Amino acid sequence: MKLAELSTPVRAEFQNNVERLILANILRQETTNISKGKNVQEIDVFEFLLKEKQVSNNLIKEIDVAIPKYILFVFKCNNAIQLAISYKEPSINDNKYKVIKTYKTEWQKEENITLEITGLDLDAVYNSFITQIANGQVETDETTDIKSAVEKSINVEKLQKKIETLKSKIRKEPQFNKQLTMKNELKELQKTLEEVHG
């Protein structure tokens, strides 16, 4: 990856906050004894040494698009770590990926953070990383695959944002009848959110 491939704001963030970037590990069949997946042939573990505990989703997304591989991001600052990973799909026309959604852990002390390598192939390992890092936002089972679970998490997030925005508008609205209308809309959104959660 060349820095020139990144947008100006992300390049500035990279130059101002990233002290060092190293390829810390490559998980592949030869190094893990786990079979290649249909999509995931290897998982590259990139370690970023940061000056500040701050990483934009844009930085993760642009690196994820610029490097046509499946990546686990490990951000380190002092004794704290944050993990990030994206659910992404291959682009049809070129050797790149379309990032659908990025998930990050909270910043935690290095000794408190764990990530289990589980799965029969690297597709399953990568999907397991997503569910672990998403921390309850992405839930798969026998009937729900990773793509559906990610789409559901995106819908939940959108609904939660709408609900918070509406609550804020209700608090600021001086007219009682307008408040009532918005409260009814809020009830509908909350009902939809419950249905999506299932």
Side-chain angles (χ1 to χ4, degrees), residues 66-185:
I67 300 173
K69 297 191 177 207
Y70 288 87
I71 301 169
L72 170 65
F73 294 84
V74 180
F75 298 105
K76 290 186 172 184
C77 187
N78 301 323
N79 186 33
I81 283 189
Q82 181 181 56
L83 302 178
I85 197 164
S86 298
Y87 174 75
K88 53 194 200 177
E89 295 173 346
S91 292
I92 297 161
N93 302 328
D94 53 24
N95 192 27
K96 293 194 173 182
Y97 289 89
K98 183 182 178 191
V99 174
I100 308 298
K101 176 78 177 142
T102 298
Y103 299 96
K104 294 191 284 196
T105 63
E106 296 295 321
W107 282 96
Q108 298 172 50
K109 284 187 176 175
E110 206 164 327
E111 57 269 22
N112 294 344
I113 206 149
T114 56
L115 194 64
E116 291 178 19
I117 298 175
T118 57
L120 298 175
D121 62 25
L122 287 172
D123 281 353
V125 170
Y126 192 78
N127 293 344
S128 164
F129 284 172
I130 291 173
T131 55
Q132 289 176 70
I133 290 169
N135 193 24
Q137 294 175 64
V138 177
E139 292 173 2
T140 57
D141 55 34
E142 297 80 27
T143 59
T144 310
D145 63 9
I146 191 77
K147 183 173 181 168
S148 305
V150 167
E151 285 168 357
K152 180 179 171 181
S153 85
I154 292 168
N155 288 336
V156 166
E157 192 178 312
K158 282 179 184 171
L159 282 165
Q160 286 170 336
K161 278 182 183 170
K162 278 184 184 175
I163 286 168
E164 289 312 308
T165 303
L166 200 53
K167 280 181 179 175
S168 176
K169 281 182 182 174
I170 290 168
R171 283 193 294 272
K172 292 173 188 169
E173 180 53 60
Q175 291 184 33
F176 182 68
N177 57 345
K178 282 188 179 177
Q179 267 190 19
L180 278 179
T181 306
M182 286 194 283
K183 280 181 180 175
N184 287 334
E185 192 184 333

Side-chain angles (χ1 to χ4, degrees), residues 151-157 159 189-198:
E151 285 168 357
K152 180 179 171 181
S153 85
I154 292 168
N155 288 336
V156 166
E157 192 178 312
L159 282 165
L189 283 172
Q190 286 167 331
K191 187 180 166 190
T192 307
L193 183 61
E194 280 172 26
E195 287 166 3
V196 170
H197 267 306

